[in-house]
Amino acid sequence: MQIYLARNNEQAGPYSLEQLNNMLANQQVLLTDLVWHQGMQHWKPLGELTHGQLFYNPYGTAKRPQPKLPTFATILQRTLAKLLDLLLWLPIFAMPSFFMTSQAKQQLLALQSKTITADMQAQVMSLVSPQAWQAMAIYALIMLAIQAILLSKIGQSIGKRLVGIQIVDANTYEPVPLTRVFLLRSIVFIILNMLFFPIITIIDYVFALSAKKQALHDKLATTIVIKKAKK
């Protein structure tokens, strides 16, 4: 069944019956919104069809239980998952030392005892061998590929999987496409953090204090983070 909605002369849809009931339970759809689907002669207020309930059953008058709302992940759970993901990037910073000669390591130790200048930064970078840069690039590509696959398939990074939380669509609670869950939600927001740190980070956590625990990057990608349902 394809269901269409209208509000303020703007039409939306089609939606499935399950999507409609999820949006009703989540208050994304109002009982005053107009609705139409095949078998109806004209548009009607949704509340008229549901008899004031937050569940629409077009197949009979018997009431069905309202769909269970997911449990939103807490800020603590999300922070822990992010820290776990960040820990996975620590090996990339240790890699240069594996390719350094003893002489290069001594030079690095000598530079660490001095005040950092632009010239010193250039000297430190010059101590990193081409092999080290290659190893770091390969590790970064592998990590990004693994995270992208996990996020697109199950809505979880490695950290989120360990904590037991999951990214889903904010309206339908369905899996989120790669362009939103990884490129828009993660990559774009990482760039924004690099450009406007710490302002973006602070704003992000302020947004996460809302009832749905929806951070700024969730708003950007129209996602929410929920506790993974146990099978």
Side-chain angles (χ1 to χ4, degrees), residues 118-220:
D119 289 338
M120 286 180 59
Q121 289 178 347
Q123 291 180 46
V124 170
M125 296 298 285
S126 67
L127 294 175
V128 181
S129 67
Q131 294 84 356
W133 286 116
Q134 291 173 6
M136 293 165 69
I138 292 171
Y139 184 89
L141 289 174
I142 291 174
M143 281 297 303
L144 289 173
I146 291 173
Q147 297 285 48
I149 291 171
L150 288 175
L151 286 170
S152 62
K153 294 294 184 182
I154 58 175
Q156 293 175 300
S157 63
I158 295 174
K160 285 180 172 59
R161 188 170 178 81
L162 291 173
V163 175
I165 57 179
Q166 179 184 24
I167 304 167
V168 295
D169 185 275
N171 297 322
T172 64
Y173 307 140
E174 297 292 328
V176 185
L178 180 64
T179 50
R180 285 167 53 199
V181 75
F182 184 66
L183 297 180
L184 183 59
R185 191 179 184 278
S186 298
I187 300 300
V188 171
F189 203 76
I190 288 172
I191 295 172
L192 288 176
N193 262 305
M194 292 172 63
L195 294 174
F196 303 107
F197 182 84
I199 297 174
I200 289 293
T201 304
I202 295 172
I203 295 175
D204 193 39
Y205 274 90
V206 169
F207 270 84
L209 296 174
S210 63
K212 294 175 64 175
K213 305 295 187 294
Q214 199 174 21
L216 180 59
H217 59 278
D218 288 312
K219 292 280 187 182
L220 202 65

Side-chain angles (χ1 to χ4, degrees), residues 37-160:
H37 57 75
Q38 189 174 4
M40 295 178 59
Q41 294 182 351
H42 51 79
W43 292 78
K44 289 185 178 181
L46 185 55
E48 183 178 329
L49 300 181
T50 66
H51 305 287
Q53 302 297 313
L54 296 179
F55 186 86
Y56 180 39
N57 173 22
Y59 304 111
T61 57
K63 293 183 179 179
R64 295 185 182 183
Q66 295 184 14
K68 185 180 179 181
L69 286 173
T71 303
F72 301 118
T74 64
I75 294 179
L76 180 60
Q77 288 174 317
R78 297 184 63 167
T79 302
L80 178 58
K82 185 172 291 187
L83 288 175
L84 290 172
D85 283 328
L86 289 174
L87 286 175
L88 294 172
W89 288 94
L90 290 181
I92 204 170
F93 299 104
M95 285 182 181
S97 64
F98 297 130
F99 295 89
M100 280 185 179
T101 63
S102 57
Q103 182 180 359
K105 289 180 180 179
Q106 290 176 358
Q107 291 177 351
L108 181 61
L109 289 173
L111 290 171
Q112 288 177 344
S113 62
K114 299 178 181 179
T115 305
I116 297 176
T117 63
D119 289 338
M120 286 180 59
Q121 289 178 347
Q123 291 180 46
V124 170
M125 296 298 285
S126 67
L127 294 175
V128 181
S129 67
Q131 294 84 356
W133 286 116
Q134 291 173 6
M136 293 165 69
I138 292 171
Y139 184 89
L141 289 174
I142 291 174
M143 281 297 303
L144 289 173
I146 291 173
Q147 297 285 48
I149 291 171
L150 288 175
L151 286 170
S152 62
K153 294 294 184 182
I154 58 175
Q156 293 175 300
S157 63
I158 295 174
K160 285 180 172 59

